[in-house]
Amino acid sequence: MKQVQARKHLKLAVLASGRGSNFLAICQAIRENRLDAEICGVISDQRGARVLDKAEELGIPAIIIEPAMYADKDRYEKAIVDQLQAWQVDLVVLAGYMRLVGPVMLEAYPLKILNIHPALLPSFAGLHAQRQALDYGVKVSGCTVHLVDEGMDTGPIILQAAVPVFAHDDEDSLSARILVQEHQAYCQALQLLAEGRIYVEGRVVHII
Ligand code: GAR
């Protein structure tokens, strides 16, 4: 059994492609002393992502690293890793980062990259998870915080939270209900890591 992170004040970087509500929830948890961490910076692969403005408003470094700026995915991810190393981050927090993480990042940060997904994995991996859940007709959905491996939303699961799916739900209403749980679950999972309480054995995560 391997401890994922020794107990410490965590230095985090957030990778996000869009709106940034999970990023803001993490900032709020830090401010309210529910999370022993700091955010060293935000990286977005999308010029104009709203998360960049939100970070700047809070005085957190926010930078754009776009795949199109590099010859291939390895070089793109090397640029990200260089920035993460310059910030000396402990953990990389994917918060609505809409790309598959490749070997360059995984090798630089083994078991140190987290993701949040808006479904109860292994159901409904990939894009449009909430729509997939509605189309399938499930009565319960939710969110999953997991460690990132080479697969699409396949890594060891740290925490999950469930929400009901109602007959009148559409993608927006279900997404909003799940998002409330995402904000709580992500901060809880990060605090468990800050407390050194997360161990992994194969693909099973133990909280001790
Ligand atoms: C969140 O719902 C997150 O779970 C999802 O993107 C949204 C980002 O929202 N991530 C994925 O679907 C990853 N497969 P935010 O930018 O407001 O945090």
Side-chain angles (χ1 to χ4, degrees):
M1 203 154 74
K2 184 177 179 343
Q3 189 180 30
V4 173
Q5 170 65 56
R7 180 185 184 95
K8 81 183 281 282
H9 174 80
L10 295 176
K11 296 183 72 171
L12 307 175
V14 172
L15 261 67
S17 304
R19 176 179 56 185
S21 74
N22 277 287
F23 160 70
L24 283 185
I26 294 166
C27 291
Q28 189 175 349
I30 291 171
R31 255 194 330 271
E32 294 173 357
N33 293 318
R34 287 182 285 117
L35 173 56
D36 184 14
E38 64 190 273
I39 299 182
C40 302
V42 172
I43 299 174
S44 184
D45 59 332
Q46 299 292 327
R47 204 166 284 278
R50 279 182 284 163
V51 68
L52 295 165
D53 300 327
K54 289 174 176 164
E56 274 165 14
E57 279 165 27
L58 293 169
I60 293 172
I63 66 165
I64 301 161
I65 300 181
E66 284 179 300
M69 292 156 56
Y70 301 91
D72 56 31
K73 180 155 178 154
D74 281 2
R75 270 170 261 210
Y76 161 66
E77 289 204 341
K78 171 79 168 58
I80 294 177
V81 167
D82 287 347
Q83 182 60 66
L84 297 172
Q85 287 173 345
W87 283 331
Q88 299 187 300
V89 305
D90 300 304
L91 296 175
V92 183
V93 178
L94 308 186
Y97 176 69
M98 297 308 203
R99 281 177 198 280
L100 204 56
V101 174
V104 170
M105 280 175 65
L106 287 168
E107 276 161 31
Y109 289 93
L111 292 179
K112 300 284 188 190
I113 307 176
L114 287 98
N115 183 42
I116 187 143
H117 184 73
L120 295 175
L121 292 170
S123 294
F124 315 127
L127 294 176
H128 308 298
Q130 303 92 331
R131 192 190 307 160
Q132 291 186 56
L134 286 170
D135 290 347
Y136 200 89
V138 293
K139 305 303 181 199
V140 175
S141 190
C143 64
T144 303
V145 181
H146 66 94
L147 296 167
V148 173
D149 65 9
E150 61 289 343
M152 163 107 71
D153 303 320
T154 52
I157 291 169
I158 300 176
L159 284 182
Q160 293 184 300
V163 304
V165 180
F166 298 121
H168 59 260
D169 269 329
D170 59 17
E171 201 177 339
D172 286 345
S173 62
L174 179 59
S175 299
R177 192 174 310 119
I178 293 172
L179 196 63
V180 173
Q181 298 302 318
E182 290 188 36
H183 295 166
Q184 286 182 16
Y186 224 167
C187 298
Q188 274 170 16
L190 288 165
Q191 179 58 18
L192 288 168
L193 286 155
E195 291 172 8
R197 292 176 58 194
I198 302 288
Y199 291 76
V200 68
E201 189 176 24
R203 63 158 298 111
V204 176
V205 169
H206 300 276
I207 302 175
I208 289 174

